[in-house]
Amino acid sequence: MQSTNSECGSPYLAVCHVTFMFFCHFFTNTPRAAAKHLIERYYHQLTEGCGNEACTNEACGSSPGFQRMDNNAAAIKALELYKNNAKLCDPHPSKKGASSAFPENSAKGAHNFSACSNGKMNHKDLQPTREDFRDLNYLTEEKVYEILSLCSETEDYSPLIRVIGRVFSSAESLVQSFCKEKQHTKEELKSLQAKDEDKDEDEKETASGSSTAMEVEPEASASSGDGSSNGENNIQKFGPVEVSVDIDAVRRVYDRLLSNEKIEAAFLNALVYLSPNVECDLTYHNVYAADPNYLNVFIIIMENSNLHSPEYLEIALPQFCKAMSKLPLPALAKLARLWSQYSADQIRRLVETFQQLITYTVISNEFSSDNLVNEDDGVVAATKCLKIVYYANVLGGDLDMDHNEEEDDEPIPESSELTLQELLGEERRNKKGPRVDPLETELGIRAWDCRKPLIPYEDFINEPLNEVLEMDKDYTFFKVETESKFSFMTCPFILNAVTKNLGLYYDNRIRMYSERRITALYSLVQGQQLNPYLRLKVRRDHVIDDALVRLEMIAMENPADLKKQLYVEFEGEQGVDEGGVSKEFFQLVVEEIFNPDIGMFTYDESTKLFWFNPSSFENEGQFTLIGIVLGLAIYNNCILDVHFPMVVYRKLMGKKGMFRDLADSHPVLFQSLKDLLEYEGNVEEDMMITFQISQTDLFGNPLMYDLKEGGDKIPVTNENRKDFVALYAEYMLNKSVEKQFKAFRRGFHMVTNESPLKYLFRPEEIELLICGSRNLDFLALEESTEYDGGYNKDSHIIKDFWETVHSFGQEQKRLFLQFTTGTDRAPVGGLGKLKMIIAKNGPDSDRLPTSHTCFNVLLLPEYSTKEKLRERLLKAITYAKGFGML
């Protein structure tokens, strides 16, 4: 017996449903059920006809002169007929009961008439009329299996398809479906246990086990596999998430039903019909506030493991994402907390669902500056939904919410922009931008509170989206039109470091131009000439003294000048700073500041990393100035050759160092403390150590420090060794360098305090911004290099040039990069992102190659032989120092 179309018929009927939902907003006086029924009748009248071959209705498919149309056109025409109250044919007797054009009739009489319409019957038709479950308005796991069993007996799944269509297309029905059984309270459990005290020990253990399971909310059981421990930790930190739906039951039902293609189509079509209604409810009726269990709709639908399949990507999933994005902030936070209890595999499935939709939409459309991806509702909605999963991934990971750096006592002076705007009668614009995500605030966490997420952060980056994103427009939406236009910078997890760096570059440049404009306006208002740049004139042999003295004066007098564009001039040299001179300035400053002989930093030979010297004789102002230099490097898009352990960047983001951070900064000490924690013998008797530790100053003299008051009298034992290790790490990474680091951080924030740096980047990405990439891929550089002055990639000398460069050792390659670009590090994204130009500089001669480091241009004479090219190039990169005018 053929299944008839009902609420979840063909995909084209689903399209009709979608169009109907949009159209229904304009006919508010007509009950939806009646309107839906009439539109469906018009639709089937157009596509199937009434069955009367002599029909005279021009809008009927049975009419002799009727022009056939495709299903989408029929859906639109049906709406027009409904609007015009056009003639509607009565069903011809030959069509009654068998046609899906009249779902109400077919629902009631399909079993009575469909098999008999051709006058033939089989043995199944002799069976008594089966229950059609029309009064079933919600589902339970048991009811689904009952209906499935009945359908399997007759090999007719239409009753189950109709039930799924009715329940899964109705938010009210889904809210009531798959509810958990009422759980015992703790008091009830204690009472039950008291009654069972006389049972044997095995039964007691069983009762205890079950009571423990009942005390934890059932959602926790969803956290199975790799990640269950994190889910349990999450419950301890934030408390169980109260939801009424039985998630495990929903998963079991999906596992049973999704293997059947007909039943799967019912889920698809029901979702198409459900989503617009849910979006309307959330937008206009505030249903979540009235009933928090409305969240069950999204919990149940998102357990469908086929959501990322192609059938859903066209209509169903984009509409559902739009509905989910309308959830109020408390609902989004609750959903994130619930999903944080899922396993890593379950989180990954959710990520793949939304990523699949974003990727599919991006590659299916041609986005450009005239057709922005920011304006695609499906991509925007999926990104907002992905944000929920992102924070679930953070919450479910290894969180450290307690070890936070104290805020600076003195506020950092603000820019003078406000005063000037008041002078000009302008309103202050939103300078700082959306520094904190509202969902982050609602959850009470920050992304960098997570030491290790459930799945890697890289899984959230969508490369196709990054390729089509117009970052200049996106940045404008981020700063100016965040309410009317969506900016992907508000969801930085989906952007790669290159894209985010471009957004930061725009922010820095616009701030520089703003400071330049403000300076010009001040000059007009106050009648005095001011410098629109942060100009530093230094002597090459006294670069530290000259630069730091000048920066100290600026920091004291007008810190806002640090936001101006840097312009460096070496005394006695002719170079004009278009970026290259600044690069060398930073290189020289870093080389001198981090010289171990100065004593501001200590250097670890094994890790090649620097750390703050707790015994340094330099005052706090010197460390503040170093922080300013690092901030200026980011602000002016320069890469520094600094080598800090990752804990420094975490501390810059506001997190204190912990025991695990010693693995990078003090690896020998870390291993010793780790051995202490793992020691199986008697710590007190065998090691004889106390809570007093010793350090050495610059001259090698021992300095004693008590980790606890009277520490020299407190032995370290097996019981208190964890406290000892934690206090030791706290001292080494925080207390011993507290003054130095606070000054350093203050200087850094003087430059970056108004930047979206902390909003966009994680600690490891900030290291990449400051230091660049250590991976030097010269093949990628060759691919991205452009040529000028008569050279091209097929020129004989160019082929010789690249063969020569590729034959260089690692140190020679770094020298070549230093010579050509002003730094020996690759930019964010690798050397492929470096736009180098090789230009012809005359015919063969004995002249050395030269470069414009400001513009990454190499001027290369057309040497006659490969040997001469190698000799001249090596001499140029080995002895290059200083700037001159060519």
Side-chain angles (χ1 to χ4, degrees), residues 404-611:
N404 299 317
E405 291 278 1
E406 296 179 2
E407 296 293 331
D408 293 323
D409 297 331
E410 302 177 22
I412 295 172
E414 291 221 356
S415 167
S416 55
E417 182 179 350
L418 176 60
T419 305
L420 181 64
Q421 286 180 331
E422 288 177 339
L423 279 171
L424 299 175
E426 297 180 1
E427 292 183 4
R428 183 183 176 96
R429 301 299 294 268
N430 182 15
K431 277 173 49 178
K432 297 188 177 182
R435 291 292 188 86
V436 181
D437 190 280
L439 183 54
E440 195 172 85
T441 304
E442 181 73 17
L443 291 168
I445 63 159
R446 297 173 298 181
W448 56 83
D449 286 334
C450 184
R451 300 298 302 248
K452 183 180 180 182
L454 282 175
I455 65 174
Y457 289 120
E458 289 74 20
D459 289 2
F460 289 86
I461 297 173
N462 189 289
E463 292 296 347
L465 173 66
N466 281 264
E467 291 174 6
V468 301
L469 184 60
E470 299 286 337
M471 203 58 198
D472 54 342
K473 303 284 179 59
D474 192 85
Y475 173 77
T476 303
F477 300 153
F478 177 72
K479 294 297 288 184
V480 181
E481 305 175 34
T482 50
E483 293 183 2
S484 58
K485 294 284 188 178
F486 178 79
S487 168
F488 287 95
M489 286 179 70
T490 61
C491 298
F493 54 83
I494 203 170
L495 305 177
N496 58 35
V498 176
T499 305
K500 289 190 283 190
N501 187 42
L502 186 57
L504 184 65
Y505 173 80
Y506 287 135
D507 186 83
N508 294 339
R509 289 295 162 180
I510 288 173
R511 203 173 300 278
M512 289 176 186
Y513 298 150
S514 175
E515 292 294 336
R516 196 179 305 171
R517 177 178 64 88
I518 289 165
T519 302
L521 291 174
Y522 261 123
S523 299
L524 292 174
V525 173
Q526 298 182 348
Q528 63 183 32
Q529 188 67 32
L530 299 175
N531 196 330
Y533 297 97
L534 173 59
R535 188 179 293 274
L536 297 178
K537 187 173 183 179
V538 297
R539 296 166 292 175
R540 187 174 288 273
D541 294 336
H542 299 83
V543 63
I544 295 294
D545 295 337
D546 293 349
L548 296 190
V549 167
R550 175 68 179 142
L551 288 174
E552 186 173 17
M553 290 176 60
I554 293 171
M556 292 173 60
E557 294 175 1
N558 188 12
D561 284 354
L562 296 172
K563 308 289 174 61
K564 295 177 179 178
Q565 184 174 352
L566 180 64
Y567 188 94
V568 177
E569 179 183 349
F570 284 104
E571 192 173 283
E573 299 182 19
Q574 298 172 307
V576 177
D577 191 6
E578 293 289 342
V581 180
S582 296
K583 291 179 185 177
E584 178 150 355
F585 162 74
F586 282 118
Q587 192 80 10
L588 293 173
V589 169
V590 166
E591 284 178 5
E592 292 204 28
I593 284 177
F594 288 92
N595 186 338
D597 294 338
I598 294 180
M600 295 182 70
F601 295 91
T602 59
Y603 182 69
D604 190 312
E605 287 288 349
S606 62
T607 62
K608 310 296 183 186
L609 298 175
F610 289 93
W611 184 247

Side-chain angles (χ1 to χ4, degrees), residues 375-395:
E375 297 172 352
D376 187 284
D377 291 341
V379 173
V380 169
T383 303
K384 291 179 179 178
C385 295
L386 189 61
K387 181 190 286 188
I388 308 172
V389 189
Y390 173 77
Y391 281 108
N393 186 50
V394 169
L395 281 169

Side-chain angles (χ1 to χ4, degrees), residues 111-303:
H111 294 285
N112 296 329
F113 297 108
S114 61
C116 302
S117 60
N118 58 7
K120 297 180 181 180
M121 298 179 67
N122 57 36
H123 70 280
K124 291 180 181 177
D125 299 325
L126 299 176
Q127 299 294 330
T129 302
R130 276 174 33 188
E131 183 182 356
D132 59 9
F133 305 104
R134 290 188 61 80
D135 296 330
L136 187 60
N137 294 319
Y138 66 91
L139 286 173
T140 64
E141 183 179 13
E142 293 75 16
K143 198 65 179 178
V144 170
Y145 295 158
E146 177 189 337
I147 302 173
L148 182 62
S149 177
L150 291 172
C151 293
S152 299
E153 291 177 5
T154 60
E155 298 181 3
D156 174 20
Y157 292 92
S158 58
L160 180 57
I161 290 172
R162 281 194 291 272
V163 169
I164 290 174
R166 184 165 58 252
V167 172
F168 276 77
S169 62
S170 166
E172 183 180 356
S173 297
L174 275 180
V175 168
Q176 301 176 55
S177 297
F178 305 106
C179 289
K180 294 182 296 191
E181 295 181 3
K182 184 177 181 297
Q183 300 291 310
H184 291 295
T185 64
K186 291 185 178 181
E187 290 73 17
E188 290 173 337
L189 289 170
K190 290 180 180 178
S191 175
L192 290 172
Q193 289 174 356
K195 293 179 181 179
D196 292 340
E197 283 181 353
D198 56 340
K199 293 188 177 181
D200 59 38
E201 195 64 26
D202 291 339
E203 290 179 41
K204 282 185 180 181
E205 290 177 4
T206 304
S208 174
S210 62
S211 69
T212 304
M214 287 189 175
E215 286 179 18
V216 179
E217 285 298 306
E219 304 87 70
S221 65
S223 301
S224 57
D226 56 338
S228 58
S229 60
N230 287 322
E232 292 168 5
N233 292 336
N234 190 316
I235 292 174
Q236 293 174 3
K237 292 170 186 172
F238 301 102
V241 181
E242 299 285 348
V243 293
S244 60
V245 63
D246 188 339
I247 298 174
D248 288 332
V250 173
R251 289 175 181 164
R252 290 190 293 267
V253 166
Y254 274 126
D255 287 342
R256 288 283 298 273
L257 299 185
L258 288 178
S259 58
N260 187 309
E261 292 183 3
K262 293 180 180 179
I263 298 176
E264 182 186 6
F267 284 116
L268 169 64
N269 295 325
L271 184 59
V272 172
Y273 185 71
L274 169 75
S275 299
N277 284 329
V278 172
E279 182 181 358
C280 179
D281 287 343
L282 290 169
T283 305
Y284 302 109
H285 302 140
N286 198 18
V287 290
Y288 179 78
D291 182 12
N293 285 331
Y294 199 85
L295 196 63
N296 291 3
V297 173
F298 300 94
I299 297 171
I300 292 171
I301 295 299
M302 287 308 301
E303 288 303 323

Side-chain angles (χ1 to χ4, degrees), residues 626-643:
I626 297 170
I628 291 174
V629 168
L630 255 68
L632 286 174
I634 291 179
Y635 194 61
N636 290 273
N637 204 33
C638 290
I639 295 171
L640 300 182
D641 186 21
V642 297
H643 305 276

